[in-house]
Amino acid sequence: MESPTTGQPEAGEAGAPQKIDTSVPHSARIWNYWLGGKDNFAVDRAAGDQYRQVFPGVVDVARASRQFLVRSIRFLAAEAGIRQFLDVGTGLPTANNTHEVAQRIAPDARIVYVDSDPLVLAHARALLVGTAEGRTAYIDGDLHRPAEVIAEAAKTLDFERPVGLILSGVLGHVPDYEAARSIARQLLAPLPSGSYLSLNDGTSLISAEMQKAQDDYNDTGATPYTLRSPEQIAGFFDGLELVEPGVVPCPQWRPDDAVDTPADIDAFGGVARKP
């Protein structure tokens, strides 16, 4: 449910400016609205309110996904020793972005963000600024072209060293499950042993209203998002070594005092190591 990625020139390179379409709701901006941000338009707020009328718990889902992302990055930087991160489907900047969490622990960490929404691009250039010791870069890339994402990321990241791949709420934007699995595998393939995948996505296991609200949202003309079963989400980790407690509702993955959502929620995630 974070922003999907579509092909555009790399940030900072010359190219035609992208037009922000304010006539159609956008998932990244709706997500920003649910998290209390201000980087959204009337059409996004209307779609977000409509979704919330059908399924009020979506705000908890958004918060739980974000909190899981923070805890997983903290684990990767502090416990797993990861110093490089590839965050695909960044979404709009908010509190505790990937580079902020990682570089608080390891100031020399390198982070590459990948997204495509022009509003995200504008904010990334202005706000996603890392430490002097590390590096933060932005790729205006295409989730459906993982080889191109990897080629651009290699300009900042050293693929001889482990990388933390972040796929937070983005693979639902790939409707075909096998295609989504293929994208995840292609992004993981060039990463060396000792790399990690942190992934979470939405489900409709806990509440049937979640599926109804998602169906209504998909009918708005916005980029659709496909809710998947926990078993399908677990399938993204095939061939990897899952970190305890495995693939679980996001609030149940190594919870801390910051968790403020119900324990059972329609957002499942996990972290796994590439052997």
Side-chain angles (χ1 to χ4, degrees), residues 104-177:
R104 274 198 294 267
I105 296 166
D108 61 337
R110 292 188 166 209
I111 293 87
V112 171
Y113 290 107
V114 183
D115 209 296
S116 69
D117 180 74
L119 188 61
V120 174
L121 174 58
H123 281 76
R125 286 173 169 159
L127 300 177
L128 298 181
V129 179
T131 60
E133 301 94 327
R135 186 173 176 187
T136 303
Y138 183 91
I139 297 171
D140 194 12
D142 187 343
L143 174 68
H144 298 84
R145 297 175 184 168
E148 295 179 11
V149 169
I150 291 296
E152 291 296 329
K155 297 176 181 179
T156 301
L157 306 179
D158 177 4
F159 287 154
E160 297 297 317
R161 299 167 51 224
V163 175
L165 172 63
I166 311 297
L167 296 172
S168 182
V170 294
L171 288 182
H173 288 296
V174 182
D176 182 82
Y177 178 57

Side-chain angles (χ1 to χ4, degrees), residues 200-240:
N200 73 87
D201 260 312
T203 74
S204 58
L205 177 71
I206 311 300
S207 173
E209 287 79 11
M210 178 80 163
Q211 186 64 65
K212 174 64 167 64
Q214 191 63 53
D215 290 342
D216 291 345
Y217 169 81
N218 291 347
D219 288 339
T220 65
T223 302
Y225 184 90
T226 301
L227 300 175
R228 296 202 157 100
S229 69
E231 292 77 18
Q232 287 176 315
I233 294 172
F236 291 123
F237 296 98
D238 284 351
L240 306 179

Side-chain angles (χ1 to χ4, degrees), residues 35-125:
L35 289 174
K38 301 182 184 303
D39 300 311
N40 46 74
F41 299 104
V43 66
D44 306 308
R45 295 188 289 274
D49 288 341
Q50 179 181 345
Y51 199 117
R52 192 161 49 186
Q53 286 174 3
V54 178
F55 177 56
V58 70
V59 175
D60 285 335
V61 169
R63 288 206 307 266
S65 174
R66 192 72 192 182
Q67 291 167 5
F68 166 83
L69 174 66
V70 170
R71 295 195 307 279
S72 69
I73 294 168
R74 191 180 299 137
F75 163 79
L76 293 176
E79 297 186 42
I82 297 297
R83 295 295 179 265
Q84 303 186 105
F85 296 83
L86 178 58
D87 187 340
V88 180
T90 306
L92 286 159
T94 182
N96 287 319
N97 298 292
T98 297
H99 74 283
E100 294 170 325
V101 178
Q103 291 178 346
R104 274 198 294 267
I105 296 166
D108 61 337
R110 292 188 166 209
I111 293 87
V112 171
Y113 290 107
V114 183
D115 209 296
S116 69
D117 180 74
L119 188 61
V120 174
L121 174 58
H123 281 76
R125 286 173 169 159

